[in-house]
């Protein structure tokens, strides 16, 4: 039995995906929102430098932060947006960040749906907040006022949305990226269609799970038809939304099986939404599994028993031993690291070499739960911004300082938006 376990893949082994792509090792940089595009949605030199630095540290796969397919609805200020080929030269420069390495680089394509904060859109565009149905976010207090209630998409708009993802994937392939990941987790638009709480439609896009997953599956087919066979197509899927009556583990397994049947090369398992941010803080665990650090490992184990498609697991990994045990257990094929790599960009290299045992990353908070979830992400985004400027990271920066930087930057950008370009 021990001999069988020892033969399981560890961090340094290659991973061959179904579409013929081979990753050089089992560490992936999971998606983190960078906020480093121009105000029109083009990738900047600073963003490209971030990924050049990350590629040089040896992670087998890099996944970008949210790349939006509609400039009228952004996940965050200064997202990259791909609606057509207007930014193709800058996208080619970004894709070339991994040149000279074995690292693969894919773009995470996304639409935030109702999780669009007020006022977020590219310069010159009016914001348009949409969802499966006109169901606002179930959050309270000041946080609720940060989001505009959505309107329901029409049939024609849903079909146009599929075409937006198709176009973005085609442009990504033309630019030289190795693939794309469709973001169907964390409460973004695909996730909203999958959720019976949010999706209250009575047409072919709502009701049964078969109907609720139609948008995601039709988009998968559209992307595959528009890109080369060697183009890596991944999907990030919630193991559950962790809301009573919402998208649950049974639903997730059914959708994962359908994605496998459609030829998706990789499924990344995560969980939570803006209403329950399990992707940031994890979920309660049974005593028998509490010692295992990954947030969604139990869900990944179930997926692995019933699926053959490779599984990437992100969220909570902090120790080399924990990563190796997850791989050797057979439930996980690829380890996703987000905040640890923003905190220590060379961590992947040291994990692979066996010279690092534990990530030094820690949670940055000011004492308010909803604000803390936001601030922790912004703290790590600021570290990536420094990396892109060629400056040393500041791991000692406090959450309060990170918040002040955000407020000052926001005031500056608000002024710039009022000036002629």
């Amino acid at each position: 039995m021990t001999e069988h376990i020892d033969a399981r893949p560890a961090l340094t082994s290659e991973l061959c995906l179904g579409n013929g792509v081979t990753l050089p090792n089992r560490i992936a940089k999971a998606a983190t929102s960078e906020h480093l595009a121009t105000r029109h949605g083009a990738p900047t030199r600073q963003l490209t430098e971030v990924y050049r630095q990350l590629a040089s540290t040896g992670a087998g796969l890099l996944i970008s932060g949210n790349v939006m397919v509609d400039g009228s609805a952004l996940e965050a200020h200064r997202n990259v947006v791909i609606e057509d080929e207007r930014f193709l030269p800058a996208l080619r420069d970004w894709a070339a960040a991994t040149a000279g390495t074995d690292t693969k680089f894919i773009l995470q394509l996304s639409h935030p749906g109702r999780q669009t904060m007020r006022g977020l859109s590219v310069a010159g565009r009016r914001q348009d907040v949409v969802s499966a149905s006109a169901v606002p976010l179930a959050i309270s207090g000041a946080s609720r006022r940060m989001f505009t209630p959505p309107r329901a998409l029409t049939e024609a708009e849903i079909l146009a949305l599929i075409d937006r993802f198709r176009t973005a994937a085609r442009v990504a392939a033309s630019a030289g990226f190795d693939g794309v990941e469709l973001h169907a987790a964390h409460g973004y638009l695909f996730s909203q269609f999958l959720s019976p709480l949010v999706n209250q439609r009575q047409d072919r896009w709502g009701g049964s799970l078969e109907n609720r997953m139609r948008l995601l599956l039709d988009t998968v087919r559209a992307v595959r038809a528009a890109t080369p066979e060697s183009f890596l197509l991944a999907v990030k899927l919630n193991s559950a939304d962790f809301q009573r009556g919402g998208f649950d583990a049974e639903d997730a397994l059914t959708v994962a099986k359908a994605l496998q049947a459609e030829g998706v090369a990789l499924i990344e398992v995560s969980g939570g939404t803006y209403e329950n941010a399990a992707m940031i803080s994890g979920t309660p665990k049974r005593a028998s599994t509490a010692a295992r650090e990954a947030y969604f490992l139990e869900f990944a184990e179930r997926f692995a028993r019933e699926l053959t498609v490779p599984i990437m697991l992100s969220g909570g990994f902090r120790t080399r031993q924990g990563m190796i045990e997850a791989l050797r257990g057979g439930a996980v094929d690829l380890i996703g690291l987000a905040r640890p790599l923003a905190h220590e960009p060379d961590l992947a290299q040291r994990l692979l070499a066996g010279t690092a045992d534990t990530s030094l990353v820690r949670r940055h908070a000011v004492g308010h739960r909803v604000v803390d979830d936001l601030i922790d992400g912004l703290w790590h985004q600021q570290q990536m911004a420094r990396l892109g400027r060629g400056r040393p990271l500041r791991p000692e920066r406090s959450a309060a300082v990170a918040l002040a930087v955000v407020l000052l930057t926001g005031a500056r950008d608000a002024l710039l938006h009022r000036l002629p370009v």
Side-chain angles (χ1 to χ4, degrees):
M1 181 68 176
T2 302
E3 196 172 276
H4 173 68
I5 292 175
D6 287 344
R8 296 276 185 169
L11 289 173
T12 56
S13 62
E14 292 183 341
L15 177 61
C16 298
L17 303 177
N19 66 330
V21 171
T22 298
L23 304 182
N25 57 62
R26 302 304 179 100
I27 295 179
K29 179 262 175 194
T32 44
S33 192
E34 308 98 352
H35 310 186
L36 293 176
T38 69
R39 63 194 186 94
H40 296 284
T44 59
R45 290 181 182 177
Q46 185 180 5
L47 179 60
T48 297
E49 179 61 18
V50 169
Y51 282 85
R52 191 185 69 80
Q53 295 282 350
L54 291 171
S56 70
T57 67
L61 177 67
L62 302 181
I63 305 178
S64 77
N66 279 306
V67 172
M68 314 314 293
V69 300
D70 186 345
S72 66
L74 304 183
E75 167 266 338
H77 184 56
R78 306 244 182 203
N79 284 143
V80 172
V81 178
I82 302 179
E83 295 179 309
D84 50 37
E85 296 184 347
R86 76 186 76 173
F87 302 136
L88 192 54
L91 288 167
R92 284 177 174 150
D93 288 343
W94 192 20
T98 57
T101 74
D102 294 326
T103 299
K104 304 301 181 185
F105 186 9
I106 68 176
L107 298 182
Q108 184 182 78
L109 300 184
S110 182
H111 190 297
R114 65 178 188 158
Q115 291 186 169
T116 305
M117 290 188 182
R118 289 182 184 273
L120 287 184
S121 61
V122 297
R125 293 282 289 277
R126 182 177 179 179
Q127 186 182 64
D128 188 17
V129 181
V130 299
S131 186
S133 303
V135 178
L137 281 166
I139 52 180
S140 59
S143 300
R144 185 182 184 90
R145 294 192 292 273
M146 294 168 63
F147 298 90
T148 301
R151 65 176 183 81
L153 286 158
T154 67
E155 166 89 10
E157 288 173 329
I158 291 172
L159 297 176
L161 184 68
I162 294 170
D163 193 57
R164 283 184 176 277
F165 279 95
R166 176 196 294 114
T167 297
R170 177 182 56 77
V171 172
S174 297
F177 290 96
D178 296 297
V180 294
E181 178 183 65
L182 302 181
H183 197 339
H186 298 176
Y188 294 118
L189 188 61
F190 285 123
S191 183
Q192 291 161 35
F193 268 82
L194 291 171
S195 168
L197 296 178
V198 183
N199 186 344
Q200 299 178 4
R201 303 179 72 95
Q202 302 299 314
D203 58 9
R204 66 191 183 111
W205 307 99
S208 67
L209 180 57
E210 179 182 6
N211 282 353
R212 286 184 278 118
M213 66 180 173
R214 189 185 306 278
L215 173 62
L216 177 58
L217 296 185
D218 282 3
T219 304
V220 165
R221 295 174 190 132
V223 168
R224 291 196 68 204
T227 55
E229 188 174 343
S230 61
F231 194 69
L232 197 164
L233 175 54
V235 172
K236 187 168 189 171
L237 183 68
N238 267 2
S239 54
D241 292 349
F242 304 104
Q243 294 174 285
R244 187 180 299 276
F247 185 76
D248 61 21
E250 293 296 328
D251 291 340
L253 184 58
T254 299
V255 174
K257 288 179 177 178
L259 292 171
Q260 177 176 276
E262 292 294 336
V264 167
L266 181 71
I267 295 178
E268 180 182 2
V269 177
S270 191
T273 70
Y274 280 18
E275 294 169 334
N276 184 343
M279 62 284 195
I280 296 175
S281 54
T283 59
K285 297 181 180 181
R286 297 194 302 268
S288 60
T289 59
R292 299 189 298 178
E293 57 196 38
Y295 296 157
F296 309 107
L297 185 55
E298 289 180 69
F299 296 98
E301 288 171 339
R302 184 175 179 195
F303 276 34
R305 288 194 294 269
E306 303 195 42
L307 299 169
T308 58
V309 61
I311 299 296
M312 173 177 163
L313 185 60
S314 304
F317 282 113
R318 294 296 181 264
T319 69
R320 185 172 186 272
Q321 188 59 35
M323 298 172 203
I324 291 173
E325 287 177 0
L327 290 167
R328 286 181 174 168
V332 180
D333 300 285
L334 191 62
I335 302 295
L337 301 176
R339 285 170 172 78
L341 294 186
H343 187 90
E344 303 170 85
D346 65 342
L347 180 62
Q349 192 173 50
R350 293 187 289 116
L351 288 169
L352 294 167
T355 58
D357 293 323
T358 305
S359 167
L360 299 177
V361 71
R362 60 184 176 82
R363 184 162 171 78
H364 297 79
V366 294
H368 185 283
R369 182 179 176 275
V370 175
V371 174
D372 287 347
D373 289 341
L374 178 64
I375 289 299
D376 195 50
L378 291 171
W379 186 96
H380 289 90
Q381 181 272 324
Q382 290 170 19
Q383 299 301 313
M384 287 194 293
R386 293 186 66 82
L387 187 67
R389 291 195 296 269
R391 296 182 181 177
L393 301 189
R394 287 184 172 173
E396 76 287 350
R397 174 174 285 180
S398 69
V401 171
L403 179 58
V405 169
V406 171
L407 295 175
L408 289 172
T409 302
R412 181 199 65 194
D413 287 337
L415 176 62
L416 289 175
H417 274 293
R418 294 185 178 93
L419 297 177
V421 182

